[in-house]
Amino acid sequence: EDQVTQSPEALRLQEGESSSLNCSYTVSGLRGLFWYRQDPGKGPEFLFTLYSAGEEKEKERLKATLTKKESFLHITAPKPEDSATYLCAVQAGNYGQNFVFGPGTRLSVLP
Amino acid sequence: DTEVTQTPKHLVMGMTNKKSLKCEQHMGHRAMYWYKQKAKKPPELMFVYSYEKLSINESVPSRFSPECPNSSLLNLHLHALQPEDSALYLCASSQEVLAGGRQETQYFGPGTRLLVL
């Protein structure tokens, strides 16, 4: 069965304190791994798509990397406005089903 | 532009009411999705439409009835809901649902906050 886990469940950082979020997956036939940011009561906002092990994507203070078993979202020098829940999702299987979200990491960045 | 719009933003309904949620995208995407999200939980897939045809129904109760009138619009008709159906309902779209190969990114709308009394 396809599974996606994320760690830590919650993370508190001081402004400027860099860290990484983890997304581990067990799927057959990965067809894409997606990172989203979600603010309370709002829809997920797309951040990155990764397809192949070794792939990396960057956007402002965020960098996403992918291995065969997990993905990391690195946050460099975070600011309070980076506070949100970060969700990863994987697409697997032979057809467009199995778009599975992980439980998310709630990030709080304190000024 | 990667905008998906949803109306209404908030909806309160009784268990005997009939209401509809609406979703619209103008990105030329051919796949559209409905998700349900409970508080502090990740989104759960409900339905997938591909080229205006229902391709996936994740065992959703019949009190939820999806409709795709055209490639830009997606509706979710609600009837005889239960209080446990209260949640954030999210619509998403992607270029298409591919049979094999890389999957396209899904873009989400802001959601409709539904409260069933």
Side-chain angles (χ1 to χ4, degrees):
Chain A
E1 183 182 333
D2 298 336
Q3 279 198 319
V4 182
T5 58
Q6 290 186 247
S7 61
E9 182 177 329
L11 180 63
R12 293 186 118 187
L13 299 174
Q14 290 296 132
E15 184 172 2
E17 180 186 1
S18 302
S19 188
S20 295
L21 312 182
N22 176 266
C23 171
S24 295
Y25 59 91
T26 306
V27 299
S28 55
L30 181 70
R31 296 170 53 217
L33 186 141
F34 308 85
W35 281 100
Y36 292 87
R37 168 205 168 115
Q38 187 174 28
D39 294 306
K42 298 190 177 180
E45 175 189 342
F46 170 69
L47 295 174
F48 302 109
T49 302
L50 301 167
Y51 290 113
S52 305
E55 192 172 357
E56 298 182 353
K57 296 266 179 81
E58 281 190 73
K59 178 182 175 182
E60 297 179 353
R61 296 179 292 281
L62 300 177
K63 179 180 176 180
T65 61
L66 181 65
T67 72
K68 288 187 177 180
K69 295 289 185 187
E70 58 192 350
S71 177
F72 291 94
L73 185 65
H74 307 278
I75 303 177
T76 302
K79 298 182 177 182
E81 53 263 40
D82 294 322
S83 298
T85 295
Y86 289 84
L87 296 163
C88 76
V90 299
Q91 182 85 46
N94 294 322
Y95 191 60
Q97 69 267 40
N98 297 346
F99 194 81
V100 179
F101 278 92
T105 292
R106 292 192 307 280
L107 174 65
S108 299
V109 182
L110 307 175
Chain B
D1 184 15
T2 55
E3 188 178 27
V4 176
T5 59
Q6 290 186 244
T7 56
K9 290 185 180 178
H10 303 276
L11 179 62
V12 180
M13 60 186 290
M15 289 190 284
T16 58
N17 292 157
K18 285 185 181 180
K19 297 285 185 184
S20 296
L21 309 184
K22 297 185 184 302
C23 174
E24 190 167 6
Q25 57 88 14
H26 293 289
M27 296 177 278
H29 288 174
R30 302 314 300 266
M32 297 186 78
Y33 311 77
W34 280 115
Y35 288 84
K36 174 182 177 179
Q37 186 176 26
K38 302 284 273 185
K40 298 191 176 182
K41 296 290 186 182
E44 294 179 357
L45 185 65
M46 299 174 72
F47 302 105
V48 179
Y49 272 84
S50 178
Y51 290 88
E52 299 156 50
K53 289 194 167 86
L54 183 64
S55 62
I56 293 173
N57 175 340
E58 292 285 1
S59 304
V60 178
S62 60
R63 56 186 184 270
F64 295 91
S65 176
E67 178 197 19
C68 189
N70 60 55
S71 60
S72 300
L73 292 174
L74 186 66
N75 298 322
L76 186 63
H77 302 298
L78 313 173
H79 173 56
L81 294 193
Q82 304 296 311
E84 59 264 29
D85 296 322
S86 299
L88 181 68
Y89 287 85
L90 295 163
C91 173
S93 71
S94 66
Q95 288 281 0
E96 57 186 328
V97 176
L98 300 173
R102 294 184 169 187
Q103 181 56 43
E104 304 287 347
T105 299
Q106 293 184 26
Y107 296 93
F108 285 81
T112 292
R113 173 73 62 191
L114 173 66
L115 178 62
V116 182
L117 300 177

